[in-house]
Amino acid sequence: MPQRPYIVGNWKMNGTRAMLSEARAIDRAAQRHMKVEVAVAPPYTLIHAVHREAAQIAVGAQDCHPGQEGPHTGDISATMLADAGAKFVILGHSERRESHNESNSCVQDKARAALDAGMRVIMCCGEADKIRQSGKAEDFVIQQLRESLPAMENATENLAVAYEPIWAIGTGNSATVDDISAMHTAIRALLVELYGVEEGSEVRILYGGSVNPDNARELLGADEVGGALVGGASLTADSFMGIALAAGEIQDS
Ligand code: 13P
């Protein structure tokens, strides 16, 4: 991994204020692992509280609205998230694409809004099991990203991509190192095509899908893997920082 590994926890719809102690423990541990960039995306309700308490980790959101303000009951804009202390937003997660019918163009609009608000974006992509079985996973993911990534000046400075095969999320069945290497290499080629060699090479490509402290070292060692987007194993400081530790060991080796 040429850049500092980026280990991001996606708490999804988990966590009440009782979880702030975990966030504090993650933050303390992150101060001892400065070679790794650690971040957490709690539910909206905890963003400001985590931001206030965190000295080392960045806090982010799991979605944003494409607009800045207005009559959108229940929605939250990137500007508001930034105001609450969020430094990044996860966009286009398969759970949102599925349960909120988010199209690629909707995700792209959100990405533009988030970058305009000065936030970093983690753009998710990933294929369903049926698509993988049909042998079209790479074509699907590249098309999804082509239509979801924003074409903006300097977009890459604040951009990361997360490859999360849907069949690997929350199942305990992570993708194999070979599959991850092949997909991340294809994603890198797309980033270079879209943004040019220099900028396209800078964007970190994270892997997500059943990453845990036991498999992290192997998965993070795959080609073109710049970090991990972690769901279940990010909910406790012990397991999450076990993953960060593995990422740091790869840096050292
Ligand atoms: P799990 O780590 O629970 O498989 O979730 C991955 C994910 O969806 C992170 O965004």
Side-chain angles (χ1 to χ4, degrees):
M1 256 184 259
Q3 282 167 291
R4 210 153 67 113
Y6 191 26
I7 306 296
V8 183
N10 175 8
W11 283 7
K12 307 191 180 185
M13 199 172 72
N14 296 291
T16 57
R17 282 182 298 158
M19 280 278 283
L20 288 175
S21 56
E22 271 335 294
R24 277 192 290 271
I26 291 169
D27 189 58
R28 277 196 305 275
Q31 292 173 41
R32 298 193 298 271
H33 297 291
M34 302 289 275
K35 277 178 277 178
V36 180
E37 191 174 347
V38 179
V40 172
Y44 290 135
T45 47
L46 294 180
I47 287 176
H48 190 57
V50 173
H51 162 70
R52 277 174 50 153
E53 300 209 15
Q56 179 62 29
I57 60 171
V59 62
Q62 303 167 18
D63 182 44
C64 71
H65 189 275
Q68 278 223 8
E69 60 189 10
H72 303 289
T73 304
D75 284 317
I76 300 191
S77 72
T79 314
M80 291 165 168
L81 294 170
D83 183 55
K87 296 286 185 286
F88 70 96
V89 58
I90 297 168
L91 292 174
H93 193 285
S94 57
E95 287 156 11
R96 292 206 60 85
R97 290 178 185 268
E98 274 176 22
S99 62
H100 295 266
N101 291 319
E102 290 191 3
S103 64
N104 292 336
S105 74
C106 157
V107 171
Q108 191 180 47
D109 288 344
K110 291 178 175 198
R112 268 193 221 102
L115 292 170
D116 278 343
M119 305 239 288
R120 290 166 83 175
V121 166
I122 300 177
M123 175 62 70
C124 299
C125 60
E127 81 286 357
D129 188 39
K130 229 169 138 185
I131 297 173
R132 164 104 357 218
Q133 297 309 329
S134 73
K136 297 203 162 71
E138 252 176 62
D139 290 349
F140 176 87
V141 166
I142 294 307
Q143 183 69 13
Q144 191 179 48
L145 278 178
R146 206 181 269 288
E147 293 175 7
S148 303
L149 287 170
M152 286 166 71
E153 193 81 354
N154 302 327
T156 54
E157 275 172 30
N158 285 318
L159 187 66
V161 169
Y163 169 55
E164 301 202 302
I166 295 172
W167 44 271
I169 295 177
T171 59
N173 295 321
S174 62
T176 64
V177 168
D178 285 351
D179 287 343
I180 297 171
S181 294
M183 187 63 82
H184 282 223
T185 302
I187 293 172
R188 176 67 66 210
L190 175 73
L191 291 168
V192 166
E193 180 199 318
L194 294 179
Y195 298 112
V197 178
E198 204 171 306
E199 299 202 342
S201 307
E202 263 170 27
V203 177
R204 282 180 292 197
I205 309 171
L206 317 182
Y207 167 75
S210 296
V211 179
N212 61 48
D214 296 329
N215 64 17
R217 203 180 160 136
E218 190 191 2
L219 300 180
L220 289 164
D223 295 343
E224 296 287 1
V225 173
L229 184 55
V230 185
S234 70
L235 296 174
T236 64
D238 274 357
S239 58
F240 188 46
M241 293 314 290
I243 295 168
L245 196 68
E249 282 169 10
I250 296 176
Q251 278 300 86
D252 289 339
S253 64

